Amino acid sequence: MALLGPRLLIVLCSIVCCALAFKAAVYEHAVIFPPNRIVVLSRDAALKVMKRNLDVYIEQCKEAATQKAELIVFPEYGLYGLGWTRQTLAPYLEFIPDPDTMSWNPCVDPLRYNNTDVQRQLSCMAKNSSLYLVVNFGARQPCSVDVHNCPSDGHFQYSTNLVYDSQGKFIARYFKQNLNSDETHFDRPSITNYTTFSTPFGRFGTFSTNDIMFKNPAITLIKNMNITNIVYPAAWKNELPLLAAIEIHSAFSEGMHVNLMAANLHVPSKGYQGSGIYWPSGTSNNEIYYNNMSAGSGGKLLVHDLSPVDPGDQVQNTKRAKTQRMTEKTRHYNSVNGSDEFQAVMNHDLYNFILLNSGYGGSYKVCQNTLCCETGFEGLFQNTVYALGAFDGIHTHNGRYPLQVCAFVPCVNGSKTSCGQPSVKSVGYMDKMSFSGNFSSNRYVLPEVLVTLDNSTLDIIGRTWLYQEAIIIDVGVPGSPVSISMYAIGGP
């Protein structure tokens, strides 16, 4: 057999390499709520509500297909909205079979299971648009009273991610593991179902909303199962200053080194907004997002090309700080006296803080337990008081998980008790910064830089900072910092 020539080798390599690149879409959905969520509706009435949302999904699938997308993601709770009891949600739910034990295309075989109208429409939506479709819906699975934890109504109810291939075949099912405190209408599965699926353009994993903060399933899927593409239906309520949707989701992509396709609900009056397509780059230039906080604003479709991520690749930053790193052991700290520290609650956790001088920059250090956070910066904050905070403990709001955080945040009204309280109002600028912490070796650091440009909206700024075992700002950031932080998850 003749050897391949150099030109043919180049062509073949290009075909192989490009085959795994793909175009993804996410849709932030302004969900249409049923008129009454405190009474139990008939099944027909529930279907009418969901059809209105499904009609929006159909149009977005058509538009995504027009833009050559190959996969689309819709939010959690997108078909019926929020604010349920177990009884009032039940008419909206359907039995969802296990695609690992059966083969089913609901669009082709709609009568195989009773009362699966929504699954049929989702399957046809994928088939007619030739898209891989990822959507969240509710499962109502019968159980026997002799089964452990079987509810008294004889059914488990799960928040469920469903995946259909481009022919409408049902190929993956995920039952949400980590529920928020207000999700009493859903059950927590007794065993984590790590859910993956394969496409012609790569392998994917899926989970939803609060799952992203936990070892199981999120970290296990990525670090143990080598998943680098995450499709993520969310109903994420923004919690400033550290947990705005666009902030933590972009940081997750960078810190965990994955492509993240995050579709959120659009209900800004209740704090739900912020969707994006994020990819790891070694710098902050790694996102396309939508974060419209205005009352009366609508949903939005985002479409973007994504490249494959090598699970064995260590992030190699191609950009280097133009100024000397400010983390040498010889640094003089403005505040090292333990009496300068105080405590305040931020995002439901009790932090140790120190206030920063209002002059032009300085060097600071604050510790809690085994974690010490250090920063050296140049910036001017004459009209806003800032603080440096450290948390090392167990986060207990909406689930328990080990957490370490270093955070540079404003104090809303200048008082110590207001440090880290929710606000988009901040006045000041950051010219240079090096910000690091001695995080435990079993933690995964999610670097965050969230700013406000006009004291009313939030932005994650690209092309002006990088993460290289520290957050490094060497050319300034536009706007005023709302949070510069490192949110470290994982652990035993």
Side-chain angles (χ1 to χ4, degrees), residues 84-222:
W84 299 100
T85 69
R86 185 178 185 87
Q87 294 72 28
T88 59
L89 183 60
Y92 294 83
L93 311 183
E94 295 180 356
F95 168 73
I96 299 176
D98 184 357
D100 290 336
T101 62
M102 44 67 71
S103 178
W104 183 38
N105 187 318
C107 190
V108 175
D109 184 10
L111 301 180
R112 182 166 179 179
Y113 299 96
N114 294 329
N115 298 317
T116 52
D117 308 73
V118 173
Q119 292 171 79
R120 177 185 59 79
Q121 292 181 67
L122 293 170
S123 169
C124 291
M125 199 183 304
K127 183 175 184 293
N128 295 338
S129 301
S130 298
L131 289 169
Y132 278 76
L133 175 71
V134 182
V135 63
N136 179 268
F137 184 44
R140 185 166 165 83
Q141 312 296 100
C143 58
S144 172
V145 291
D146 58 357
V147 172
H148 178 63
N149 289 335
C150 180
S152 59
D153 60 13
H155 293 82
F156 288 115
Q157 295 186 174
Y158 300 119
S159 176
T160 310
N161 294 351
L162 297 83
V163 183
Y164 299 89
D165 72 10
S166 57
Q167 299 302 310
K169 183 181 177 182
F170 180 38
I171 60 171
R173 179 190 74 177
Y174 168 71
F175 293 152
K176 184 178 180 181
Q177 183 69 26
N178 299 289
L179 300 171
N180 291 333
S181 58
D182 59 355
E183 292 182 292
T184 56
H185 46 279
F186 281 130
D187 299 300
R188 184 177 187 266
S190 57
I191 299 175
T192 304
N193 51 126
Y194 301 98
T195 302
T196 66
F197 61 95
S198 296
T199 74
F201 40 88
R203 291 177 67 226
F204 290 74
T206 187
F207 45 80
S208 55
T209 311
N210 212 32
D211 287 322
I212 203 170
M213 311 307 297
F214 290 82
K215 180 178 180 180
N216 296 317
I219 293 174
T220 297
L221 274 175
I222 295 165

Side-chain angles (χ1 to χ4, degrees), residues 233-291:
W236 188 279
K237 186 174 184 178
N238 290 289
E239 293 185 23
L240 293 173
L242 304 182
L243 295 174
I246 58 171
E247 173 188 27
I248 192 68
H249 298 159
S250 63
F252 186 89
S253 170
E254 188 68 30
M256 300 302 292
H257 199 55
V258 295
N259 292 324
L260 180 69
M261 291 137 272
N264 199 9
L265 289 179
H266 187 77
V267 192
S269 63
K270 306 229 179 249
Y272 295 86
Q273 88 278 328
S275 299
I277 299 172
Y278 310 99
W279 57 94
S281 63
T283 75
S284 58
N285 183 20
N286 66 336
E287 70 277 325
I288 174 174
Y289 65 93
Y290 175 64
N291 189 53

Side-chain angles (χ1 to χ4, degrees), residues 210-398:
N210 212 32
D211 287 322
I212 203 170
M213 311 307 297
F214 290 82
K215 180 178 180 180
N216 296 317
I219 293 174
T220 297
L221 274 175
I222 295 165
K223 297 303 178 181
N224 294 0
M225 302 174 69
N226 294 327
I227 296 298
T228 58
N229 296 306
I230 301 296
V231 284
Y232 179 63
W236 188 279
K237 186 174 184 178
N238 290 289
E239 293 185 23
L240 293 173
L242 304 182
L243 295 174
I246 58 171
E247 173 188 27
I248 192 68
H249 298 159
S250 63
F252 186 89
S253 170
E254 188 68 30
M256 300 302 292
H257 199 55
V258 295
N259 292 324
L260 180 69
M261 291 137 272
N264 199 9
L265 289 179
H266 187 77
V267 192
S269 63
K270 306 229 179 249
Y272 295 86
Q273 88 278 328
S275 299
I277 299 172
Y278 310 99
W279 57 94
S281 63
T283 75
S284 58
N285 183 20
N286 66 336
E287 70 277 325
I288 174 174
Y289 65 93
Y290 175 64
N291 189 53
N292 193 331
M293 303 163 65
S294 303
S297 55
K300 188 174 180 65
L301 181 72
L302 301 173
V303 181
H304 203 278
D305 292 306
L306 285 173
S307 298
V309 176
D310 183 351
D313 182 32
Q314 297 297 318
V315 178
Q316 298 293 327
N317 295 313
T318 57
K319 182 179 176 183
R320 293 291 183 264
K322 296 178 183 177
T323 57
Q324 185 179 7
R325 289 275 298 274
M326 292 184 253
T327 56
E328 296 94 348
K329 299 299 182 183
T330 56
R331 177 191 298 165
H332 170 73
Y333 294 103
N334 296 69
S335 180
V336 295
N337 189 335
S339 63
D340 294 333
E341 292 186 1
F342 63 95
Q343 291 190 314
V345 174
M346 178 166 64
N347 289 108
H348 307 281
D349 297 315
L350 187 63
Y351 281 70
N352 287 355
F353 281 105
I354 55 171
L355 293 178
L356 310 182
N357 296 331
S358 60
Y360 188 73
S363 299
Y364 296 85
K365 179 178 181 179
V366 66
C367 301
Q368 186 179 94
N369 297 329
T370 64
L371 175 67
C372 287
C373 306
E374 303 180 17
T375 185
F377 69 92
E378 296 177 8
L380 192 61
F381 311 107
Q382 289 181 326
N383 299 314
T384 303
V385 176
Y386 276 80
L388 179 67
F391 177 79
D392 180 11
I394 302 296
H395 179 82
T396 58
H397 180 69
N398 281 331

